[in-house]
Amino acid sequence: MKEFFGIGGAGAPNGAFSWQHITLVSTCLVLMIGLAIGFGIWLRKKEFKIKNRVIIASAISILSFEAVKIFVNILDEALYGDNVLKTILWNLPLFLCSIMLVAIPVAAFCKGKLKEGSLDFVMMFGILGALFGPIGAIQDYDSYPAFCFHNIVSAITHSISGFTSLYIIISGISSVRRKNMWISYTILGVFGVMAYAVNVICGLNYGGDIFENSPNYMFLMRDDGTPYTLVTAMTGGNKVLYPIVVMLLFVLYMSLFYGIFFLIRYLYAKKHPRGADKTEEAILTEE
């Protein structure tokens, strides 16, 4: 049991893209997509408050799993390590995928424009984290067994993010209005600044090269495999240009997402003038 939870050390790793890794990720992806389609279609014509209950359930679920994971990590450090504070600092929700730990609850419990902007943000980045998190986190599967507590919880929380993203799209709960775009960009900017600041603070406090001895939140300090290796090559490893380009790539992704979404909406409106943009009208009247 201690080995499963990684307390005092985990078992032998299975390796990235082993059958255990592929089985875990595939199972999560099937459940994520299936549940999102099921709940999305079932609740698509329901009122906003009923649709929002699923977002609330996602928020509570992802926070619960993450809280247990952090507790286990702290317990392991308290029993076998010597720096509990460092463990806490290395588990803040400032990675790109763990931003969902904040964004989903905000989308679930806030109201007005902040809610709308957060729904848009979760819709865009939830699916990105779900696809690239469990699949692309090669170092985790090369370090721990695929079916250990750490990797299972990571796969579940990433899948909750992806489920929420797909559910938002399929259920039509998000308004996705142009005048709310600045909110989503601001959310990204705020987390980017916070992530970089914590990276620098941790790097300074724990000695050595601040770029190598930091949590590397949002991958702003150094690359951690593709596509960030490409950014390092593009910038020549420049410590100023690298984080700027990383953030600009996030902005580019958001802009492309918005552009494609609005194009699809425009084409749909031309073909179905009476049925277009019902979501936007609904969210205005129901809130």
Side-chain angles (χ1 to χ4, degrees), residues 204-238:
L204 290 172
N205 284 342
Y206 292 100
D209 187 337
I210 64 170
F211 296 98
E212 296 298 328
N213 295 290
S214 72
N216 198 25
Y217 287 127
M218 290 184 72
F219 306 103
L220 292 176
M221 305 302 279
R222 59 188 181 276
D223 68 72
D224 192 19
T226 306
Y228 303 102
T229 304
L230 301 177
V231 179
T232 298
M234 187 190 311
T235 61
N238 186 284

Side-chain angles (χ1 to χ4, degrees), residues 6-9 72-87:
I7 297 177
V72 170
N73 288 343
I74 292 174
L75 180 63
D76 178 42
E77 185 66 25
L79 293 175
Y80 297 96
D82 59 1
N83 201 327
V84 174
L85 177 59
K86 184 176 180 180
T87 299

Side-chain angles (χ1 to χ4, degrees), residues 193-270:
V193 171
M194 291 173 60
Y196 193 82
V198 173
N199 282 331
V200 171
I201 292 169
C202 288
L204 290 172
N205 284 342
Y206 292 100
D209 187 337
I210 64 170
F211 296 98
E212 296 298 328
N213 295 290
S214 72
N216 198 25
Y217 287 127
M218 290 184 72
F219 306 103
L220 292 176
M221 305 302 279
R222 59 188 181 276
D223 68 72
D224 192 19
T226 306
Y228 303 102
T229 304
L230 301 177
V231 179
T232 298
M234 187 190 311
T235 61
N238 186 284
K239 302 302 184 183
V240 176
L241 289 178
Y242 172 80
I244 293 174
V245 173
V246 169
M247 290 301 297
L248 287 176
L249 287 176
F250 294 149
V251 171
L252 177 62
Y253 166 73
M254 293 175 69
S255 301
L256 287 173
F257 194 104
Y258 274 126
I260 294 170
F261 191 96
F262 290 134
L263 177 61
I264 293 172
R265 176 181 283 178
Y266 171 75
L267 295 175
Y268 181 84
K270 286 189 69 176

